[in-house]
Amino acid sequence: MISPIVSVPRPGAPPGATSLVEALEGGAVLMFPDLDFPFSAFEERFVERPFADGKAKNVNIRGEAAELRGAAGTPEEQEALRQVLLRYRAFAQGLIDRYLPAYTGKLTLAGTSYRPFDVDRRKLSWRRDDTRLHVDAFPSNPIGEKRILRVFRNINPNGQPRHWRVGEDFGSMADKFLDRLPGYSPLSAKLLAALRITKARRSEYDHLMLHLHDALKQDMAYQESAPQADVHFAPGQTWVTFSDLVMHGAMGGQYMLEQTAYLPVTSQADAAKSPQRILAAKLGRPLR
C-alpha cells in the first residue's frame, strides 16, 4: 500500500478518518491546504532569491538560542530571516496543539529550516540525494526511542509546487531489505560515541535505519520499480508526516519551510505502529 495523502480542511476533520493521529501513525501524510502564514513586505525578499551562503543545503535555527546558521544577507536581513524561522516554529507548534493535541507536551521541537534551493539543481552524492526514495535517519544524531515528525510548508511565490514521491508502507519495504543489512555491533556504537562521531550511542534501531536509508538510495532497481506515487504540494499548503516511517523523495520545488520534532515512541497512541516496533516484530525480538 502506498502512503495516503489525507487532506485536512478547517476546522480539522479529515474526510473518512476518525483520528488524525491514527492516520499519521498509520503512515499518512496530512495535508493542510489553507493555513495562514503571511510574509511582511520586507520578508518577501526571502522568496525572491536564496538568502543562503551555499555551504549547506539549508539555513536553520536550533536550540534555545536559535542561532541562525547558513544564511546570507545583511545583519538586518539575517535577523529578519531568523524571526521568520522563529515564527514558523511557533506556527508548527500551534498546528500540533490544534490538530494533534494528543502530542501536546510530549513533542520536543528540534531544528527549523529555510530551504531556498531548487531540488533539481543540487548536485549531491547518492547518499545525500533526497530525490531518491528514503526514510529519514541521522548519522551523527542517534534517535533511539524517538520518532521524527516533520512539518513542511511550500512558500514558493510563483506557483511552483513542491513535488514529492511517496512510496510503499514501511513494513513492506522492510521485508525486502532487512535481510541485506549488516549486523549491529554494540562495541562499535560505543566507540563512535566515545570518539564523539555520534552525539550519543547508536542503538540497534539507529543502525538498522541508517543502513535502510543507504540500501534504499543505492538500489536503483527499487527506486524505479517500487510502488510509488507522485504528489504535488501547492504554494501555501502545509504537510505533516513521520518521515522515519513514510518513504519519500523530494523531486522538485524551490522555497520551503520545515520544522523537525521528536516524539517518544511511548507517547504514540499506538507504539506498535512505530518503525522501532515494526522492525522488532520482523526480527522476532526486542531491538538492542
Side-chain angles (χ1 to χ4, degrees), residues 229-248:
D230 286 329
V231 184
H232 293 83
F233 299 102
Q237 292 184 341
T238 305
W239 61 105
V240 181
T241 197
F242 280 114
S243 61
D244 53 2
L245 183 71
V246 173
M247 298 267 294
H248 60 286

Side-chain angles (χ1 to χ4, degrees), residues 2 21 70 81 109 118 184 207 219 228 246 250 252 265 274 276 287:
I2 296 172
V21 166
L81 180 53
L109 296 184
D118 191 321
Y184 171 65
H207 168 85
D219 191 331
Q228 56 191 278
V246 173
V265 171
S274 67
Q276 286 89 340
L287 300 182

Side-chain angles (χ1 to χ4, degrees), residues 62-121:
R62 293 182 185 178
E64 292 296 326
E67 179 183 355
L68 189 68
R69 301 188 301 180
T74 66
E76 180 186 17
E77 288 168 332
Q78 291 196 35
E79 177 57 25
L81 180 53
R82 177 176 172 274
Q83 291 300 320
V84 168
L85 292 179
L86 286 169
R87 189 156 51 88
Y88 187 70
R89 178 191 286 180
F91 167 88
Q93 182 66 66
L95 184 155
I96 291 163
D97 292 344
R98 179 178 180 183
Y99 293 98
L100 305 167
Y103 295 159
T104 296
K106 300 173 182 177
L107 281 163
T108 301
L109 296 184
T112 313
S113 65
Y114 159 69
R115 304 186 174 198
F117 296 115
D118 191 321
V119 169
D120 289 334
R121 295 179 185 174

Side-chain angles (χ1 to χ4, degrees), residues 176-182 215-216 219 222:
K176 298 179 175 74
F177 285 90
L178 199 51
D179 289 345
R180 306 186 197 178
L181 307 183
L216 286 164
D219 191 331
Y222 182 82

Side-chain angles (χ1 to χ4, degrees), residues 50-59 69-73 114 116-117 122 124 128:
F51 278 75
D53 62 17
K55 296 178 182 178
K57 291 192 295 183
N58 310 312
V59 176
R69 301 188 301 180
Y114 159 69
F117 296 115
R122 288 188 267 153
L124 304 171
R128 296 181 64 212

